[in-house]
Amino acid sequence: MRERLDAVRARMADRGIDGLLVTGEENVHYLTGVPDCEGWALVGERTLHLVVDGRYIEAARRDLDPALGQVLEWSRPFEEHLGALLARIGVTRLGFEADKVSVALAGRLAAALGGVALVQTNGVVEDLRLVKSEDEIAAIRRAASIADESLRELLPRIRPGASEVDLAMELEWIMRRRGAERAAFAFIVASGPRAALPHGRASGRRLERGDAVTFDIGAVVGGYASDMTRTFLLDPVDATMAQVWEIVARAQREAVAAVRPGVTGRDVDRVARDIIAAAGYGPRFLHGTGHGVGLEIHEGPQVAVKGETVLRPGMVVTVEPGIYIEGLGGVRIEDTVAVRPDGPEVLTRFPIQARLEALES
Ligand code: ZN
Ligand code: ZN
């Protein structure tokens, strides 16, 4: 945490600000170590204050290292108390997170902080979060392994007649029982023609013979998410879907192998995109190849046509190409991958197999 604050202060100096108001929930967690407190963190040149209301004061005092900073209990609205604190610690140019603050709050801050210059910032903390520590990667690995174990436990239920929503709820229940804090997002269970929807939330549809069934799932441990997708082909397997599955599996495998320091997200995306295009399905690959994962399920760096960030050791990204054919179905295969000095470490370990029979041991 100390290094994180030092890094933020260096960035503040670069931007000519002597205070940074951190309101993004994950950013507050990242800098203070206090999760889910609906608080604000104020980083000064030598100070850190975590502001919470009475509901969170006990947890905040317990979780914030007193060597790092101080917890303040304020009544809402917080901006009414902010001016006095800024005056006390001598902040004259206050940065705020422009992409986290609503227009309404920005207006109230401006009204409440007469003598203080407000400076829009973007990505000050998010940029630090791109490269994960070993502890952060361990949390993601744990979240991934809970998702792996949970999907395995669910396998006997993935049969014609089971409804998508029942499978999704059951999976979440299994994950929670196995130690996940929560589901990382509303699980996607998309079967048959619905599998052609890249983000088809689980519906009441019941699985049928011959369906492709896509599960896009993730768990959260210590605030950190995992993200994994598997598509299974039920008997009797449709010949087109079998072919599509093999193409996606190859694109995914090769793109995972391309994950290493020094390449951009765009380079990884191109590996998957070229394989799918060469097979004639370019226009059916409807999204980017992947995204960063951490405290948020979608964060930097992008693994997409616009992914200009150069990958560095400690970054964690997904690789998730897909092909979607309207009226027939779709296939997506996704792993969460840590960038290591010598290449990819795949954190989601569930086997990549089209047929459920191949997974039953
Ligand atoms: Zn996913
Ligand atoms: Zn994803």
Side-chain angles (χ1 to χ4, degrees):
M1 299 287 158
R2 171 72 61 196
E3 305 79 59
R4 295 176 184 177
L5 284 171
D6 288 344
V8 167
R9 288 184 180 119
R11 282 149 191 270
M12 287 162 51
D14 291 344
R15 287 165 175 78
I17 54 179
D18 50 9
L20 179 67
L21 179 64
V22 180
T23 53
E25 180 187 333
E26 291 83 9
N27 291 341
V28 171
H29 181 176
Y30 185 77
L31 292 181
T32 65
V34 181
D36 309 321
C37 67
E38 293 183 35
W40 289 1
L42 178 68
V43 184
E45 288 172 321
R46 279 173 299 279
T47 56
L48 169 71
H49 290 90
L50 173 62
V51 174
V52 297
D53 66 37
R55 293 171 298 164
Y56 298 104
I57 187 70
E58 207 176 310
R61 287 212 176 105
R62 182 192 62 214
D63 292 344
L64 181 70
D65 177 356
L68 211 62
Q70 193 186 345
V71 179
L72 299 176
E73 181 186 349
W74 285 357
S75 56
R76 292 182 184 270
F78 290 162
E79 59 272 19
E80 287 179 2
H81 311 273
L82 191 56
L85 176 62
L86 295 178
R88 181 150 65 79
I89 61 177
V91 172
T92 58
R93 288 177 57 80
L94 177 70
F96 67 98
E97 300 183 293
D99 57 359
K100 306 287 183 198
V101 166
S102 68
V103 172
L105 176 56
R108 293 200 302 273
L109 287 171
L113 304 176
V116 176
L118 285 171
V119 180
Q120 293 192 20
T121 69
N122 275 302
V124 174
V125 184
E126 285 86 345
D127 286 353
L128 295 178
R129 284 170 39 197
L130 289 174
V131 172
K132 274 74 177 169
S133 68
E134 286 307 316
D135 284 351
E136 292 178 283
I137 293 173
I140 298 170
R141 189 186 291 111
R142 179 78 193 117
S145 91
I146 289 174
D148 291 353
E149 295 160 7
S150 301
L151 185 56
R152 181 161 289 282
E153 188 177 333
L154 187 75
L155 281 180
R157 304 285 312 274
I158 305 174
R159 292 288 181 270
S163 83
E164 293 172 358
V165 72
D166 282 350
L167 292 171
M169 287 193 303
E170 182 142 2
L171 193 59
E172 183 165 347
W173 168 250
I174 296 169
M175 273 190 199
R176 294 289 296 273
R177 215 177 42 201
R178 288 179 175 271
E181 289 159 23
R182 56 187 164 83
F185 49 89
F187 295 155
I188 291 167
V189 180
S191 62
R194 293 194 75 255
L197 308 169
H199 277 113
R201 295 261 168 98
S203 77
R205 186 183 184 278
R206 290 180 183 279
L207 274 49
E208 293 175 15
R209 285 171 49 77
D211 278 354
V213 192
T214 295
F215 288 82
D216 189 346
I217 65 175
V220 173
V221 170
Y224 287 82
S226 69
D227 195 2
M228 175 171 78
T229 306
R230 294 291 183 264
T231 299
F232 305 119
L233 304 179
L234 305 188
D235 280 329
V237 173
D238 177 275
T240 303
M241 293 309 290
Q243 190 188 29
V244 162
W245 193 97
E246 293 297 339
I247 296 163
V248 172
R250 185 156 62 86
Q252 201 265 352
R253 191 168 60 238
E254 305 264 326
V256 167
V259 170
R260 60 178 177 274
V263 305
T264 63
R266 179 196 289 132
D267 296 332
V268 175
D269 179 87
R270 189 174 299 125
V271 171
R273 204 162 293 282
D274 283 354
I275 290 170
I276 289 173
Y281 288 101
R284 314 280 193 166
F285 180 11
L286 302 174
H287 49 75
T289 293
H291 52 86
V293 186
L295 288 170
E296 288 175 272
I297 185 67
H298 292 123
E299 57 181 50
Q302 281 192 70
V303 183
V305 174
K306 290 184 178 165
E308 285 162 18
T309 304
V310 175
L311 301 186
R312 281 176 279 161
M315 289 183 171
V316 177
V317 297
T318 69
V319 177
E320 51 178 307
I323 294 175
Y324 309 90
I325 303 173
E326 211 179 320
L328 183 62
V331 175
R332 179 168 65 254
I333 298 172
E334 172 181 33
D335 282 314
T336 299
V337 180
V339 183
R340 294 302 195 177
D342 51 356
E345 178 193 350
V346 178
L347 302 175
T348 40
R349 308 289 306 171
F350 194 90
I352 296 175
Q353 292 284 349
R355 305 284 302 255
L356 293 164
E357 293 77 4
L359 294 162
E360 281 153 8
S361 47

